[in-house]
Amino acid sequence: MESTLLRIAGALFCHDQKSAVTRTAEIELNSGIVDKHIVIRPDPKLGQPGPLAHKIFVALIKKHSDYGKPVRSEIHFTKREIGRLIGRKDWGGRDSEQLSRALHEIHYTFVKTHFKKPGGTFQEHSFTVFPEILIERREFPSDPIEACTITLAAPIVRSLEDEHFTCLNHALMQRLGTVGQALYMRIFFHFANLYTGANGSHLEFVKRYDDICAEWLGGLTVLRYESDIRRQIGTHLTQLVEEGVLASFTLAKAKSKSQGGWVVSFRPGNTFFEDYARFYRRQQAGRVEAQFEPQQKEVGEPLKLAYLFAEKRTGQPAASIAYVNSKDVETAKDILAEIPFDDATRFLDFALAAAAATRFDVQTLGGLRQYIAPYMARQATDQAAAAREAARRQRDDEERQRYAYESYRRNEANAIFATLAAPEQTEIEEIARKGTAGLRGSLQKMMFEFKRADATAQRYSDRIAPFEQWLAGR
């Protein structure tokens, strides 16, 4: 997980579903600290992303990680896949709507933070974590989601390319609730930053309880009494002890009387050290699945083509299109079996123009099938014409180069002739006169100079660059 994204996640997600929908106020962390300042603005209608959004977020980031390198900007998934990743055995309309809401809770939440640039300076970025969501439903808005493509924020992708990330144990995270996941991510992150390889026996991390609630757990209610705090987060920390991430944790009163409150101390367990060695020392961040390209062809490109058709047909931007239906997506797959995705925009423009010329009001992508053959024929004709034009331009370029070289060769020859002794000049001029014996007037003079230069160039060719050498030096 990209490092700044991990920090954002702590404040972004609320782990109390009832409270999440009512939280619309701006969340600000690390105010006054230039390189760590974060502002999160939840959607005023949907509220702060809740527990399900967190679970889906973790699942999608894991899937993105599985794509490996190069770092991709898109994440594709089907309903069965996302159901498996978030632990849903069955998938119906209710699950689908919960998924849609959770994705849009993230999509409509605005984030402003700072990223460290390679030169050491910091650059402010404003973005949403998932700036684009493409959804396929079978037919109607009430039908379950069939497949989806999520775009990851460009600053996050760039940061991943610069290898600013933290490795986490996803198999372990799947056994935890969302609060446990959030605690694990931050605890592992801080231990990994503090661990030197030699300080394991006395490694400890201490954090104020109220800061944990605000920065790690999305504004979880800060409780006053120890027994309540232990019921609130203690059960999740105990599970981390059982999993071996923690050897122990302690909850104690803060020493500072002015601040008061509670502090939590964490000590790492064997699972942390094993994972640290596996992720960082042996550079084995888990199995990488070569699954991006197949899913790009099966899910991503057909969805994009169906959305592009909807945009062009309705004149509405993709962001305002709630979903596309499965029939159009299946048609998109058939079209892409014959036409490369890179040509999709040109095909749609051609087909819709052809339909408009016959006053055919196209309602579905299937209505454009009839234009595939004419489009491909037009493409073949255009490609042949383009090839002929390219060949003509190449011949013209070669001819211009030859003319330019001949001019260079004559100028070099005349310069050489001017340096020759009189007997050598006379000998060359005699050759030129014989070559122009039958000519008179200005033509004779022009051809004489040409023949003289040619004779000089032939005799002193070692002093004039050949064509290939001259061309390379231009």
Side-chain angles (χ1 to χ4, degrees), residues 21-77:
V21 296
T22 64
R23 292 187 176 181
T24 59
E26 190 172 87
I27 302 164
E28 187 172 6
L29 299 176
N30 304 317
S31 179
I33 305 176
V34 175
D35 60 328
K36 294 183 179 180
H37 187 212
I38 297 172
V39 177
I40 297 170
R41 188 180 301 157
D43 182 73
K45 291 184 179 179
L46 297 176
Q48 191 175 355
L52 180 60
H54 184 274
K55 188 177 290 188
I56 292 169
F57 165 79
V58 170
L60 292 179
I61 296 302
K62 168 62 168 66
K63 184 170 177 57
H64 184 262
S65 175
D66 285 343
Y67 288 156
K69 291 184 177 181
V71 178
R72 313 290 183 168
S73 62
E74 295 174 347
I75 310 167
H76 312 297
F77 61 90

Side-chain angles (χ1 to χ4, degrees), residues 133 135 306-312 314 316-324:
I133 300 173
I135 293 174
Y307 263 86
L308 188 57
F309 167 70
E311 279 187 277
K312 289 183 176 293
T314 64
Q316 298 176 7
S320 65
I321 299 170
Y323 73 99
V324 291

Side-chain angles (χ1 to χ4, degrees), residues 282-384:
R282 295 197 294 271
Q283 294 296 307
Q284 296 175 1
R287 179 172 59 93
V288 173
E289 302 173 9
Q291 56 176 272
F292 179 79
E293 294 301 336
Q295 286 208 322
Q296 175 80 338
K297 298 291 185 184
E298 184 65 21
V299 178
E301 290 180 354
L303 255 179
K304 285 183 179 179
L305 178 54
Y307 263 86
L308 188 57
F309 167 70
E311 279 187 277
K312 289 183 176 293
R313 188 180 70 82
T314 64
Q316 298 176 7
S320 65
I321 299 170
Y323 73 99
V324 291
N325 62 64
S326 295
K327 190 174 182 179
D328 276 353
V329 174
E330 288 302 314
T331 303
K333 292 178 184 177
D334 294 339
I335 292 173
L336 292 173
E338 300 187 61
I339 296 173
F341 180 74
D342 290 343
D343 288 348
T345 299
R346 286 190 291 272
F347 166 70
L348 290 179
D349 290 340
F350 171 87
L352 289 170
T358 60
R359 297 185 179 180
F360 173 32
D361 185 14
V362 181
Q363 295 297 313
T364 68
L365 191 53
L368 301 185
R369 287 177 187 269
Q370 60 185 301
Y371 302 108
I372 294 176
Y375 172 77
M376 294 178 71
R378 170 69 67 82
Q379 285 293 96
T381 301
D382 291 347
Q383 288 170 4

Side-chain angles (χ1 to χ4, degrees), residues 137-156:
R137 296 182 188 271
R138 183 160 297 175
E139 187 174 2
F140 301 108
S142 57
D143 288 339
I145 291 175
E146 296 292 324
C148 196
T149 290
I150 304 299
T151 301
L152 196 59
I156 301 298

Side-chain angles (χ1 to χ4, degrees), residues 361-409:
D361 185 14
V362 181
Q363 295 297 313
T364 68
L365 191 53
L368 301 185
R369 287 177 187 269
Q370 60 185 301
Y371 302 108
I372 294 176
Y375 172 77
M376 294 178 71
R378 170 69 67 82
Q379 285 293 96
T381 301
D382 291 347
Q383 288 170 4
R388 289 193 298 272
E389 177 62 18
R392 185 193 64 77
R393 285 198 298 268
Q394 184 175 354
R395 290 194 301 271
D396 290 348
D397 287 344
E398 290 173 353
E399 191 173 343
R400 281 193 293 271
Q401 290 168 358
R402 285 293 177 184
Y403 282 141
Y405 177 72
E406 288 302 324
S407 177
Y408 155 79
R409 185 171 177 267

